[in-house]
Amino acid sequence: MMTNEILRVGFPTNDCVNVEEHFGHCERFVVFSVKDGEIVNKEILEAPEHAPGVFPKFIADNNINVVITGGMGQRAIDLIKANGGQVILGAAGNIKDILNVYLSGSLYSKGSACAHHHHDEDHKCEH
């Protein structure tokens, strides 16, 4: 990362404390701005309505560089990456703890994309 560059790391959440298991089902995003390894700002953003392509556009519009989540559909992953973003899957638990692991360079994506059944509103992501 270049000096003086702000890295924006976003976490989908419902309670603003823990990572939401599925990216597309969250109510909010906690977004940390990080400069030279230090957290310089924390924002809580209301998530947009869940519809195809809306969340990746929201990520790009809010200049979020990295999304750390439990699971995400392959289309959303592809759209975020196409906009220059990074996706880390398989995260669970306390957002602040996960952010600290990420900033230490020890967090790696360990999940796989969720298979969606587009007409099933009760979709559960199995990993």
Side-chain angles (χ1 to χ4, degrees):
M1 184 167 63
M2 297 185 327
T3 309
N4 299 328
E5 186 176 321
I6 299 285
L7 176 71
R8 289 176 50 84
V9 183
F11 293 86
T13 184
N14 288 332
D15 61 7
C16 298
V17 175
N18 296 296
V19 175
E20 169 60 21
E21 184 178 307
H22 196 286
F23 170 75
H25 296 175
C26 71
E27 297 172 7
R28 294 174 192 83
F29 279 87
V30 177
V31 181
F32 293 91
S33 296
V34 179
K35 183 175 179 180
D36 298 326
E38 298 294 320
I39 298 165
V40 295
N41 191 30
K42 175 184 174 183
E43 299 167 71
I44 297 174
L45 307 175
E46 292 296 316
E49 186 177 339
H50 184 189
V54 172
F55 272 61
K57 182 178 184 331
F58 172 85
I59 296 300
D61 289 348
N62 284 284
N63 299 310
I64 298 170
N65 309 101
V66 180
V67 176
I68 300 176
T69 186
M72 182 185 295
Q74 187 62 52
R75 183 166 183 258
I77 294 169
D78 292 344
L79 289 170
I80 290 169
K81 287 183 176 179
N83 288 327
Q86 180 185 1
V87 175
I88 296 178
L89 301 173
N94 183 279
I95 289 170
K96 194 77 184 234
D97 293 344
I98 296 166
L99 179 63
N100 289 334
V101 172
Y102 174 74
L103 293 177
S104 76
S106 300
L107 186 67
Y108 302 96
S109 189
K110 57 183 179 280
S112 57
C114 296
H116 280 264
H117 306 285
H118 292 288
H119 302 290
D120 182 4
E121 286 301 315
D122 295 322
H123 167 71
K124 293 284 185 250
C125 188
E126 302 295 331
H127 295 286

